Amino acid sequence: MTKHKLFARALALVLCLTLVCGLTGCVFSTPESVGRIGEVDITSGNYLLAQYDAYQQAADLAQEDQDPTKVSAFLRQQITPEGGEPVTVADFVAEKTQQNLDRYAAIETRFAQLGGELTELEQTQAEAYAQQLMDQYGPVYEANGIGLATLEQFEKLLLKEQVLLDLVYGPEGETPISDEELGGYLSQEMVQLAYVVIPLYNSQNFAPASDDEKAEMKKKAQAIVDQYTAQTAALTQAQAAPSITEAEMKQIPRQQLEAFRTAAAAGLGEVYQVLGSPAPEGDPVSTALLGHASVDATFTEGDSAKQLYDLAFGQAAVLEHSGFAMMIALRLNPLTYQGMDAVRTQALTDYKAAELRQELADYGAALPHDLDSSAMKKLPAKKIVTG
């Protein structure tokens, strides 16, 4: 799960942020707050993180003849957002900074409205994450006026956004998604996968496989799939039988996975031997529940993503994984393999996270804004240093 979404990128990228004052040795001072959005106080730390994330979004849109490391010059130039009109970087950064702050205020406000509370474990995790960042990057944070309390606040904020999915869409939520609806999405739009990734190069000297060697490896990998298919023919028929009980249905994915492991363990040695590589030790099979974005990122070659979605539950296939690997994949029924309660959070995230994010953005933008322009001027984007 991609568990920290809002400002996660900002928290990672801010590690390389320093200000001109820090470089020149002068004292770096910031206002304690830049105002409020709704009832939420916007600290200088909130503002700096939001602004730096906005600058990085602008940097991602830079053309080859533009240099985002030259901050003052880049801010005066123009970029073109996807599907939008050309805009100066300074205006883009100002707009995105405000949007980031709006979402932040919305999360805090909606979390409180819906009676959300972080568990002691979640609070401890947030504090531990913040302390790890401070231990590793403390001088950088301190040079930018960002202390441990600010890091803890943001780590907790990111957890609150995830909890909001359940507070809004969960079984007891504000607008609950039924198990039937979520189960349909899970079965049709997500993939419960058992898989083995096989590198298309010698694991000892990294010599790439030739086209003939790739064809031979694929042939031997297909033999694993054929062996698995033969072993599970009865299971495949059973799961389609109208008389199958719920208890029997729940056992089938486990039996299919065990048969897949057995076939892989028996045949992988021959696949690796084509390149003279030793087969991996231990259980070679991994499992994952993937949404469309993860599938598209995982399979970068040919029609493999479509082929994966076309697999029936319990069906296996050899797929192109990338230019450097192939995959033997088995698609399992996620509802019977793990059960709804075990996958609800991940399924809700895949199904509704983007919608919730937009709702929060709209909600935050509609809140009363009482921001101090003079305070924000003390934290100008032109003082950002990219590294």
Side-chain angles (χ1 to χ4, degrees):
M1 169 173 58
T2 41
K3 67 176 184 175
H4 296 338
K5 289 200 172 182
L6 183 66
F7 298 149
R9 184 180 179 198
L11 284 171
L13 292 171
V14 80
L15 304 181
C16 61
L17 170 63
T18 55
L19 297 180
V20 170
C21 281
L23 292 176
T24 59
C26 62
V27 176
F28 173 56
S29 61
T30 64
E32 182 176 345
S33 170
V34 299
R36 304 175 74 83
I37 299 178
E39 297 300 316
V40 178
D41 182 53
I42 306 299
T43 68
S44 60
N46 302 152
Y47 187 84
L48 285 170
L49 285 173
Q51 182 176 250
Y52 192 74
D53 176 68
Y55 187 84
Q56 290 302 315
Q57 292 182 55
D60 289 342
L61 297 172
Q63 300 297 312
E64 291 184 3
D65 60 346
Q66 294 177 318
D67 186 358
T69 64
K70 298 178 180 179
V71 178
S72 294
F74 185 53
L75 286 169
R76 295 192 297 270
Q77 296 171 3
Q78 287 193 331
I79 54 175
T80 304
E82 184 177 354
E85 298 294 327
V87 61
T88 64
V89 173
D91 288 344
F92 179 92
V93 169
E95 180 181 2
K96 294 301 179 181
T97 298
Q98 188 60 61
Q99 290 175 359
N100 285 342
L101 296 176
D102 288 345
R103 287 197 300 271
Y104 162 59
I107 290 172
E108 292 285 17
T109 303
R110 292 286 285 141
F111 192 79
Q113 285 178 346
L114 295 175
E117 292 185 9
L118 295 181
T119 66
E120 289 187 13
L121 177 59
E122 288 169 332
Q123 293 189 58
T124 300
Q125 287 175 338
E127 292 164 3
Y129 295 149
Q131 186 62 59
Q132 289 172 13
L133 289 172
M134 185 58 70
D135 290 343
Q136 191 167 1
Y137 304 107
V140 175
Y141 283 122
E142 291 170 358
N144 291 282
I146 300 170
L148 180 61
T150 297
L151 295 178
E152 290 179 353
Q153 181 185 18
F154 272 92
E155 289 291 345
K156 290 176 182 178
L157 176 77
L158 302 176
L159 288 174
K160 288 178 182 179
E161 185 185 28
Q162 181 62 52
V163 174
L164 271 172
L165 275 167
D166 189 64
L167 293 176
V168 176
Y169 301 115
E172 306 299 324
E174 186 179 50
T175 54
I177 302 298
S178 69
D179 282 2
E180 181 180 7
E181 180 180 353
L182 189 59
Y185 179 86
L186 183 66
S187 297
Q188 296 174 25
E189 304 296 333
M190 301 185 74
V191 176
Q192 180 68 61
L193 194 63
Y195 63 93
V196 178
V197 176
I198 303 171
L200 295 174
Y201 55 84
N202 185 293
S203 61
Q204 296 175 313
N205 59 24
F206 301 102
S210 66
D211 289 344
D212 288 344
E213 288 170 330
K214 290 178 183 179
E216 184 65 17
M217 293 174 73
K218 184 175 182 179
K219 178 180 177 181
K220 292 183 179 299
Q222 183 61 47
I224 294 175
V225 171
D226 294 342
Q227 178 65 25
Y228 159 79
T229 303
Q231 290 177 342
T232 58
L235 291 175
T236 301
Q237 293 177 350
Q239 70 180 359
S243 60
I244 189 170
T245 66
E246 182 177 351
E248 290 171 334
M249 181 66 81
K250 288 182 177 180
Q251 292 299 316
I252 287 179
R254 304 288 174 179
Q255 295 169 324
Q256 290 169 332
L257 179 56
E258 186 58 33
F260 185 70
R261 283 197 169 103
T262 299
L268 276 177
E270 291 191 21
V271 180
Y272 277 84
Q273 188 56 44
V274 173
L275 297 180
S277 300
E281 297 181 359
D283 183 4
V285 178
S286 300
T287 60
L289 178 60
L290 305 175
H292 271 291
S294 296
V295 170
D296 291 342
T298 299
F299 296 94
T300 59
E301 297 292 321
D303 296 325
S304 294
K306 181 181 183 303
Q307 292 171 9
L308 181 60
Y309 275 101
D310 286 344
L311 292 177
F313 294 144
Q315 187 176 5
V318 180
L319 304 173
E320 293 182 71
H321 179 260
S322 68
F324 305 100
M326 65 179 179
M327 177 184 287
I328 308 175
L330 166 67
R331 188 176 185 185
L332 298 169
N333 186 331
L335 287 173
T336 53
Y337 176 65
Q338 296 191 73
M340 177 61 79
D341 290 341
V343 300
R344 186 186 305 279
T345 297
Q346 187 176 351
L348 274 177
T349 299
D350 200 79
Y351 187 23
K352 288 294 185 178
E355 182 177 326
L356 176 62
R357 187 176 177 84
Q358 185 59 54
E359 289 177 357
L360 290 170
D362 295 341
Y363 184 87
L367 288 171
H369 285 56
D370 184 18
L371 296 174
D372 185 348
S373 60
S374 64
M376 291 187 288
K377 286 180 180 178
K378 295 179 181 179
L379 306 169
K382 68 181 181 181
K383 289 188 175 182
I384 292 174
V385 175
T386 59

